[in-house]
Amino acid sequence: MKFTCYRDKVTAITGSPAQQLYKLNCLLAELTRSHNSFNAFQIFLEIHSSYHLDPDHYTVSTILAACANLRTTVVGNQLHAHAIRAGLKAFPHVTNALLSMYAKAEDLVSVNRVFAEIDKPDAYSWTTLLSACTKLGDAGYACNLLDQMPHGNVVVWNAIITGSAENGHAGIAFDLFKRMHLLGVRHDNYTFASVLTLCTVELLDFGRVIHSLVIKTGYLVRTSVWNALLTMYFNCESVTDAYEVFEETAANGHDQITYNAMIAGLVSGGRDVEAFFMFKYMQEVCLRPNELTFASIMSSCACARVAIQVHAQVIKIGFSNCTSVNNAAITMYSICGDLLAADMIFRSLEEKDRVSWNTMITSYAQGNLARAAIMTFLQMQREGIEPDEFTIGSLLTSSELLLNTEIIKRLAGSTKIFILDCLSLGHFQEQT
């Protein structure tokens, strides 16, 4: 919606200066929540340039949230300076809005500077700081802050545990989980979900201990927790345990995520038939498959007759224009040996991503259609999409590549080291 529409709303606002500012702040909050940043900034400028209105702490904290949505500090730095000059930085929600803005803009230096200036950080302040530290590569510093933060607040603990889990610091997440338990801080569903998904085969026993703790604390009724348990048991290659969790929680009502976890787990374990039964049962309980469902089930389909039926459901449900689903369909038809169908889907794609091109190139290469793979690669480059290691790996399986000097030159550029690695491993020799 153009700003002229909102200018009419602003003009129509009447009452005392305090009443007008309240109504404008509400409009500003509405625009920020809907990520309509341009109009939000225009409303702020209307307030700031007014002769009888002054932005208050609600105005500034809301417009800072709009800056955070844009993940930029260009305007935010000016607003920060204004908050200091106007004495608004003393309000906790203004300071927390500054923290959030700098965190989303990945400016950890500014996050630390703003936090250091807070006299009494609240739970939101700590959560924002610790989450930013772990996500931006300073998990060690976040751990060093543990002695300063409020130990009894589970939200703060979850911030650093989740941040560590999502950014490759599994060991830190496990240590914090154990420390949290020793200190008597009660875990919640977010804590359990974060840690469970990190368990691997070597940590199956630890995962079972967490499972017992989940039951003991009554969190097995939470969807996010049992979905995390399913993921954990499949990651640990314990399908029997996964089935037990699925059956034990059935009375609570499973959602799409639960069925997707079961289908993906069964497919990854090579239990394709069971995955199809789960796919069928999902629909029998009136749950609509989504793109993740189809992406999983298609990757396990090796029967042309079944492939056609699954693809028909994709079209019927309305995912025929979904790139990720079509990429899975290309793979599915290639597995079934129907490269004509795979090619038709590829050509009909309005938006092809790198996965689309790689999938088609791989399909041709595995079908011993080296020339088609090479031509698709050349077209991929003409479309401005750079190859990656998957593109190159697929092309190097073709002995015909050796006869095409132009392809070797095109692959050489930024991927030269990868090609040399392939040569050293004997990829060409194996094909000749």
Side-chain angles (χ1 to χ4, degrees), residues 41 63-64 66-81 97-111 113-114:
F41 286 127
I63 198 63
L64 283 169
C67 290
N69 290 340
L70 294 176
R71 301 180 184 277
T72 178
T73 60
V74 176
V75 179
N77 289 330
Q78 299 176 37
L79 290 167
H80 189 171
L98 283 167
L99 281 174
S100 179
M101 178 193 68
Y102 286 124
K104 289 185 178 180
E106 300 185 354
D107 184 352
L108 189 55
V109 173
S110 295
V111 171
R113 186 178 70 249
V114 171

Side-chain angles (χ1 to χ4, degrees), residues 186-190 192-193 196 207-233 241-254 258:
R186 184 180 171 86
H187 310 98
D188 65 8
N189 52 308
Y190 297 105
F192 288 126
L196 281 168
R208 286 187 170 131
V209 170
I210 299 177
H211 187 174
S212 298
L213 192 58
V214 166
I215 297 172
K216 182 179 178 181
T217 54
Y219 277 101
L220 193 59
V221 298
R222 303 299 290 268
T223 307
S224 59
V225 176
W226 76 57
N227 288 339
L229 279 167
L230 289 175
T231 301
M232 185 268 290
Y233 281 125
D241 286 316
Y243 267 117
E244 288 180 0
V245 171
F246 182 78
E247 292 169 1
E248 188 177 353
T249 57
N252 297 317
H254 293 144
T258 305

Side-chain angles (χ1 to χ4, degrees), residues 16 23 56 67 71 76 79 96 116 120 126 134 149 157 160 165 179 241 246 306 311 356 369 396:
S16 67
K23 293 175 183 177
D56 64 5
C67 290
R71 301 180 184 277
L79 290 167
N96 285 337
K120 295 181 179 180
W126 279 105
T134 52
M149 73 179 193
W157 282 89
I160 186 170
R179 183 172 176 181
D241 286 316
F246 182 78
V306 177
H311 194 198
S356 308
L369 296 173
L396 290 179

Side-chain angles (χ1 to χ4, degrees), residues 275-294:
F276 269 97
F277 275 116
M278 190 62 65
F279 175 66
K280 181 181 178 183
Y281 184 56
M282 175 184 186
Q283 295 173 80
E284 288 177 353
V285 296
C286 300
L287 280 176
R288 183 175 181 267
N290 59 19
E291 57 266 36
L292 294 176
T293 320
F294 284 116

Side-chain angles (χ1 to χ4, degrees), residues 291-301 307 310-311 314 322-335 342 345 349 355-356 359 363:
E291 57 266 36
L292 294 176
T293 320
F294 284 116
S296 294
I297 204 67
M298 284 177 161
S299 66
S300 67
C301 184
V310 173
H311 194 198
V314 167
C322 178
T323 302
S324 61
V325 173
N326 280 307
N327 291 343
I330 293 170
T331 300
M332 176 180 68
Y333 280 118
S334 300
I335 292 172
I345 294 172
L349 269 175
V355 176
S356 308
T359 303
S363 299

Side-chain angles (χ1 to χ4, degrees), residues 82-155:
H82 172 78
I84 295 172
R85 288 195 304 270
L88 301 175
K89 197 165 172 286
F91 291 92
H93 51 281
V94 173
T95 308
N96 285 337
L98 283 167
L99 281 174
S100 179
M101 178 193 68
Y102 286 124
K104 289 185 178 180
E106 300 185 354
D107 184 352
L108 189 55
V109 173
S110 295
V111 171
N112 282 313
R113 186 178 70 249
V114 171
F115 184 85
E117 296 170 353
I118 302 175
D119 291 332
K120 295 181 179 180
D122 59 18
Y124 185 92
S125 308
W126 279 105
T127 300
T128 306
L129 171 67
L130 296 173
S131 179
C133 287
T134 52
K135 289 180 179 178
L136 300 178
D138 205 351
Y141 174 65
C143 291
N144 291 334
L145 293 171
L146 281 173
D147 294 332
Q148 303 174 37
M149 73 179 193
H151 282 173
N153 195 310
V154 67
V155 176

